[in-house]
Amino acid sequence: MLELLRPPPHRGPLIAAGAVALAVGLGLAELRIDDALTPGYHLFALAVAAALVLTLGLQAPNEEGRPPAYRSVLLVTGLALLYGALLRLADALGDGNGGFPNATVTLTALAEAAAALAIAVRTRSAVCAFLAAVAAMVGIVAGWGWAFDPDGFSARRWLLTLGAGGLVLGSLVLRERRSREAELLVSAAGLATLTIALQALLEGIGFLGVFGGDGLPGFWELVVLGAGFGLVAYGALERRPGPAWIGAANLAAFIAVAGFFSDDTLRWWPLVLILVGAVAMAAGLRPRKPLPPEPTAYRAGDAPLASRTEEVVLRVRVDDAPPRSAGGRK
């Protein structure tokens, strides 16, 4: 039976495209007929689709030790369907209560992280390791709110920052052996710091129910700014566009938070950054000292002995005369 669910490599892209279309259709159906069916029917449809797509992804072969593109698409699509099934399971068990409380987010995110990590280890899929890291961070942050502080976000900022630091350390360990996994762990760390800025920004514009928030304290602005510069530098040095784009998003979020929720003054961030940027550019464009003149070429006969190449000719004389006997002449 499992052999029938092994995608042929030459048809893998077609199967993966069909899986994406199936997932999008199910997601649209979940929104349109949410109240028309009981949670059990929704759970059954999503669970069957997730099992089918994940089985196809797990049965697909690797190419040169790494998952091909169509296999990664199947695995990511299957994990997305699995998370939808987990949310429907929580709803069926009566934990949803019409929303997404911290308990539901914690348990479903940690279960999703465990499944993604197991798939990443089995298939050597870097993108599944990335999803596992992101889901684990979501579960940890939501778990803190579930256990200690349902409404506050101050402690969660520390959790996100510590988690980002742990992901960066993990990327350093994997840098030589698995560079792709290391890159995606850095990207996950960037998403963690980006969440800090987005929370303040969304709260300030009233999206989270609080209009006109105070923005971020100076320390957290520094964290977001440093993360943005670090990600852009990492992407430039390692030639990885993903972390660079996430770093640019961190810098854009920093500009929005530090610009909208501050006084009309150049103190302190604008003035400091303008001065630092101007000094750095001036240091890079400063006049260079003239290089010492090139040494003159050696004249004939003046070349050092180590650089001379002499041709050695060996002459060997061959005497065709017959050898004389030891007793004298014949």
Side-chain angles (χ1 to χ4, degrees):
M1 180 63 180
L2 292 178
E3 188 64 28
L4 296 177
L5 297 177
R6 184 184 299 274
H10 65 285
R11 296 179 183 173
L14 177 62
I15 297 173
V20 173
L22 174 66
V24 173
L26 284 174
L28 185 60
E30 286 293 306
L31 294 178
R32 288 195 174 185
I33 59 174
D34 184 16
D35 299 328
L37 300 175
T38 61
Y41 288 104
H42 292 287
L43 172 61
F44 178 78
L46 290 172
V48 170
L52 174 62
V53 176
L54 284 176
T55 302
L56 289 171
L58 292 173
Q59 289 289 102
N62 278 352
E63 295 179 359
E64 298 180 356
R66 306 292 297 182
Y70 75 88
R71 189 182 194 188
S72 296
V73 171
L74 287 172
L75 294 175
V76 172
T77 304
L79 288 172
L81 291 169
L82 176 62
Y83 191 67
L86 290 172
L87 291 176
R88 283 299 181 183
L89 176 61
D91 192 16
L93 294 177
D95 193 26
N97 297 325
F100 295 95
N102 288 322
T104 300
V105 176
T106 301
L107 297 177
T108 55
L110 292 180
E112 178 80 357
L117 181 61
I119 293 173
V121 172
R122 177 175 176 178
T123 63
R124 298 195 57 170
S125 172
V127 68
C128 288
F130 168 76
L131 294 177
V134 172
M137 288 292 297
V138 172
I140 292 172
V141 172
W144 179 272
W146 178 26
F148 301 105
D149 190 5
D151 300 322
F153 203 81
S154 298
R156 302 184 195 187
R157 291 171 184 160
W158 285 105
L159 290 175
L160 289 169
T161 304
L162 293 175
L167 292 173
V168 171
L169 292 178
S171 71
L172 294 177
V173 175
L174 298 176
R175 182 181 179 185
E176 296 296 332
R177 294 176 297 164
R178 298 187 177 182
S179 59
R180 179 59 176 167
E181 283 85 347
E183 172 197 349
L184 291 179
L185 288 182
V186 172
S187 297
L191 291 178
T193 56
L194 180 62
T195 303
I196 297 174
L198 290 180
Q199 181 273 335
L201 184 62
L202 293 176
E203 185 179 88
I205 62 178
F207 187 81
L208 299 180
V210 180
F211 183 78
D214 297 331
L216 286 175
F219 173 77
W220 295 112
E221 290 179 346
L222 178 62
V223 169
V224 176
L225 179 65
F229 282 142
L231 287 165
V232 172
Y234 175 88
L237 294 175
E238 298 291 336
R239 297 183 179 181
R240 305 287 185 176
W245 282 111
I246 297 177
N250 273 265
L251 295 178
F254 165 79
I255 293 174
V257 173
F260 291 148
F261 305 105
S262 298
D263 298 331
D264 297 334
T265 176
L266 291 179
R267 296 183 304 174
W268 288 100
W269 282 123
L271 185 61
V272 170
L273 291 174
I274 290 172
L275 291 177
V276 170
V279 170
M281 294 177 64
L285 296 173
R286 70 185 187 277
R288 292 173 292 178
K289 295 181 179 180
L291 297 176
E294 296 183 1
T296 58
Y298 288 104
R299 293 177 296 179
D302 292 341
L305 182 61
S307 66
R308 297 177 185 174
T309 57
E310 297 182 358
E311 181 180 1
V312 179
V313 179
L314 298 178
R315 298 182 182 272
V316 180
R317 181 176 180 180
V318 179
D319 191 356
D320 294 334
R324 296 181 179 182
S325 60
R329 295 184 178 180
K330 290 184 179 180

